[in-house]
């Protein structure tokens, strides 16, 4: 990790750069795969599974027998942990239910909204170096609460053609409708356009590698909605002299082990803590099974010393981290001044991994600075709000003339006439 002391504001932009993610350079390759799946359906997806995931499949759909058998392959301890996490995620997201109120904007004019679940959603669960059954819960649980009628899940199989049993168990527990053995760009294309097996969905959720990210960006231009722009995962720890260097190092490493393009940053007002965390990171890193991945990630990571908490907060809000851990003496006061972050973890006993798994908040969050404009996945991500309005005769008398004047001044005479004919009808009744 890089040690940086008292950087000037002119250095901030360069200092806070993320690992480069140039998805545009992949667009031609990704577009070719998308088009072949669009035209070839299941056959094309199966061919890409053989080419990219090195597995020969006879069918994409996961059979009900496989789902039922998965339960016996998951330990009771893990089942209990998944069930606890599911319960907390359900509790937190259920509290976000929208209740529309009828509002009389003026006498005789009433407006309101109704919340409706997106009918068909697609969930992408990466394979790669770890089975992300936690992401199944983070996406499927709010989808179910929202009332999505069809929840489709795609995830790459292993070389034996199997899906990790914990993913299947979590999917069944959370209420996923259909599960398919498909990864990468081909899975995104299959859910976007539909194949003989995979239903076409209206919105796609879930993280993935740079090819999946590029695919989601391309299909979202005209064919399907997506959850949010996404890049490599990241964490910032904001800490003062009261922080425990062992905890801080553990938090930085928990993000670093995600992937070689992840980023972990410490912003601190304590030079002593900066040095202690540097040493503690090296000590803990040596004992990690994913040592090589974390070590590579740490090349993108920095330990930044600033003069005071005001500067620390200003720098934090410029960075807009996906995950922000505040380990300061007065963390509640500091948290109140945070304006740009995906998810915030308060105090020395609240690690980022709590939000990743079981506290109840969602771990699908904006990265790469998008926390300045986007929030993480929530119940709202799975619903649409339809607006309604009703105008009674008294209301039309009040607002009709204003609408006529505004339409006439925009030179939209048909708009004006739609009101005029009604006003005349009211007068003649």
């Amino acid at each position: 990790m890089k040690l940086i002391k008292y950087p000037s504001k002119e250095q901030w932009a360069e200092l806070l750069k993320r690992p480069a993610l140039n998805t545009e350079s992949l667009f031609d390759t990704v577009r070719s795969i998308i088009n072949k799946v669009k035209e070839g359906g299941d056959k094309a997806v199966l061919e890409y599974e053989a080419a990219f995931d090195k597995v020969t499949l006879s069918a994409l759909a996961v059979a009900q027998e496989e789902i039922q058998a998965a339960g016996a392959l998951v330990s009771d301890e893990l089942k209990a942990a998944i069930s606890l996490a599911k319960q907390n995620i359900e509790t937190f997201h259920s509290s976000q239910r929208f209740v529309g109120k009828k509002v009389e904007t003026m006498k005789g004019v009433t407006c309101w909204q109704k919340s409706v679940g997106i009918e068909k959603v697609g969930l992408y669960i990466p394979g790669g170096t770890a089975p992300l059954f936690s992401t199944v819960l983070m996406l499927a649980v709010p989808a179910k609460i929202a009332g999505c009628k069809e929840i489709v899940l795609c995830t790459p199989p292993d070389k034996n053609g199997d899906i990790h049993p914990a993913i299947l168990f979590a999917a069944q527990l959370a209420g996923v409708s259909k599960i398919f053995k498909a990864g990468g760009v081909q899975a995104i294309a299959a859910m976007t356009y539909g194949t003989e097996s995979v239903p076409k969905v209206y919105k796609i959720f879930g993280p993935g590698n740079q090819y999946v990210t590029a695919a989601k960006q391309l299909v979202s231009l005209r064919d399907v909605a997506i959850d949010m722009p996404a890049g490599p995962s990241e964490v910032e720890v904001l800490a003062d002299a009261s922080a425990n260097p062992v905890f801080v190092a553990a938090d930085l490493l928990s993000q670093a082990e995600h992937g070689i393009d992840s980023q972990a940053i410490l912003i601190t007002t304590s030079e002593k803590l900066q040095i202690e965390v540097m040493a503690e990171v090296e000590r803990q890193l040596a004992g990690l099974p994913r040592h090589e991945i974390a070590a590579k990630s740490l090349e993108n990571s920095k330990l930044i010393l600033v003069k005071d908490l005001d500067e620390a907060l200003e720098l934090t809000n410029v960075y807009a981290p996906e995950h922000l851990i505040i380990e300061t003496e007065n963390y509640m006061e500091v948290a109140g001044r945070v304006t740009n972050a995906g998810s915030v973890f308060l105090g020395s006993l609240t690690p980022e991994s709590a939000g990743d798994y079981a506290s109840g908040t969602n771990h699908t969050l904006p990265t790469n600075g998008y926390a300045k404009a986007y929030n993480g996945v929530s119940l709202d991500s799975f619903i649409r709000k339809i607006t309604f309005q009703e105008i009674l005769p008294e209301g039309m008398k009040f607002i009709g003339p204003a609408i006529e004047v505004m339409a006439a001044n925009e030179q939209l005479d048909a708009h004006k006439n739609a009101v005029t004919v009604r006003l005349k009808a009211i007068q003649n009744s």
Side-chain angles (χ1 to χ4, degrees):
M1 299 184 79
K2 298 177 181 69
L3 278 174
I4 295 142
K5 297 183 179 182
Y6 307 114
S8 66
K9 281 194 177 181
E10 290 74 27
Q11 294 174 286
W12 284 11
E14 184 65 30
L15 190 61
L16 298 179
K17 276 185 178 177
R18 270 80 171 180
L21 182 69
N22 183 16
T23 53
E24 290 87 349
S25 65
L26 307 175
F27 278 177
D28 287 344
T29 300
V30 169
R31 191 179 288 110
S32 170
I33 298 169
I34 289 171
N35 288 338
K36 285 182 181 175
V37 171
K38 187 178 180 181
E39 294 165 10
D42 279 359
K43 183 174 182 290
V45 177
L46 290 167
E47 287 174 355
Y48 282 124
E49 282 304 309
F52 299 142
D53 290 328
K54 310 300 180 188
V55 59
T56 302
L57 301 170
S58 56
L60 294 174
V62 175
Q64 197 59 37
E65 296 76 26
E66 292 178 78
I67 298 171
Q68 296 299 334
L73 301 173
V74 180
S75 71
D76 289 342
E77 183 183 39
L78 181 53
K79 282 182 188 175
I82 289 173
S83 297
L84 181 145
K86 187 246 185 187
Q87 181 181 324
N88 286 348
I89 294 164
E90 202 165 48
T91 299
F92 181 69
H93 289 76
S94 292
S95 73
Q96 300 166 14
R97 283 193 175 100
F98 173 78
V99 180
K101 295 179 180 178
K102 288 192 174 184
V103 178
E104 193 172 55
T105 55
M106 66 188 313
K107 198 160 183 63
V109 180
T110 306
C111 305
W112 67 98
Q113 287 184 313
K114 181 175 78 170
S115 168
V116 181
I118 298 171
E119 289 179 281
K120 300 179 180 182
V121 295
L123 315 181
Y124 183 77
I125 308 301
T129 57
L132 296 183
F133 53 83
S134 58
T135 302
V136 177
L137 299 177
M138 295 292 174
L139 299 178
V141 169
K144 196 70 177 175
I145 296 167
C148 302
K149 292 178 180 176
E150 191 162 33
I151 304 171
V152 176
L153 186 152
C154 284
T155 189
D158 63 22
K159 290 179 173 56
N160 297 318
D162 298 322
I163 303 296
H164 195 284
I167 288 178
L168 296 181
F169 174 77
Q172 184 182 38
L173 186 69
V176 170
S177 313
K178 297 175 181 175
I179 307 170
F180 297 94
K181 299 174 182 179
V185 176
Q186 61 270 25
I188 302 302
M191 290 189 284
T192 300
Y193 302 106
T195 69
E196 296 88 341
S197 299
V198 184
K200 172 182 168 59
V201 302
Y202 302 151
K203 189 172 183 179
I204 295 175
F205 296 80
N209 62 21
Q210 57 186 345
Y211 289 93
V212 168
T213 299
K216 285 174 67 180
Q217 289 174 343
L218 281 174
V219 297
S220 71
L221 294 176
R222 65 174 66 92
D223 297 312
V224 72
I226 62 171
D227 45 6
M228 70 188 81
S233 196
E234 61 202 28
V235 69
E236 177 200 322
V237 179
L238 193 165
D240 62 14
S242 70
N244 184 327
V246 176
F247 293 176
V248 174
D251 290 334
L252 296 172
L253 286 167
S254 72
Q255 199 62 40
E257 73 173 357
H258 264 295
I260 61 170
D261 51 3
S262 297
Q263 188 173 55
I265 285 182
L266 168 66
I267 297 178
T268 182
T269 55
S270 167
E271 185 170 6
K272 179 173 180 287
L273 181 74
Q274 184 191 36
I275 301 301
E276 288 174 341
V277 168
M278 181 78 162
E280 187 61 32
V281 164
E282 291 300 321
R283 189 189 70 77
Q284 292 184 29
L285 176 64
L288 290 178
R290 293 167 70 87
H291 172 277
E292 290 184 13
I293 291 173
K296 190 72 178 172
S297 168
L298 291 176
E299 294 176 12
N300 304 315
S301 302
K302 302 173 179 77
L303 305 174
I304 304 171
L305 177 66
V306 295
K307 62 183 180 183
D308 54 33
L309 274 175
D310 288 339
E311 187 173 51
L313 277 159
E314 188 178 354
L315 188 56
T316 295
N317 287 322
V318 170
Y319 182 55
E322 176 191 16
H323 306 97
L324 172 61
I325 302 171
I326 302 178
E327 296 190 43
T328 61
E329 193 170 7
N330 56 340
Y331 57 80
M332 280 296 183
E333 181 188 330
V334 173
R337 297 169 63 190
V338 173
T339 55
N340 299 323
S343 191
V344 183
F345 304 80
L346 301 175
S348 62
L349 297 181
T350 313
E352 180 260 325
S353 47
D356 269 357
Y357 291 108
S359 64
T361 60
N362 208 290
H363 76 202
T364 308
L365 300 164
T367 64
N368 204 35
Y370 282 113
K372 291 174 182 173
Y374 288 83
N375 52 262
V377 164
S378 67
L379 192 63
D380 274 354
S381 307
F382 295 89
I383 65 172
R384 296 158 292 129
K385 292 170 185 169
I386 304 172
T387 59
F388 296 81
Q389 54 211 283
E390 178 190 32
I391 302 176
L392 301 178
E394 189 177 15
M396 181 52 73
K397 288 178 185 177
F398 280 128
I399 68 168
I403 298 170
E404 287 180 311
V405 170
M406 294 172 77
N409 277 273
E410 288 193 345
Q411 300 178 26
L412 296 171
D413 290 344
H415 281 65
K416 176 178 180 291
N417 190 54
V419 171
T420 303
V421 295
R422 286 174 167 82
L423 286 172
K424 286 180 179 177
I426 292 167
Q427 291 168 0
N428 296 333
S429 61

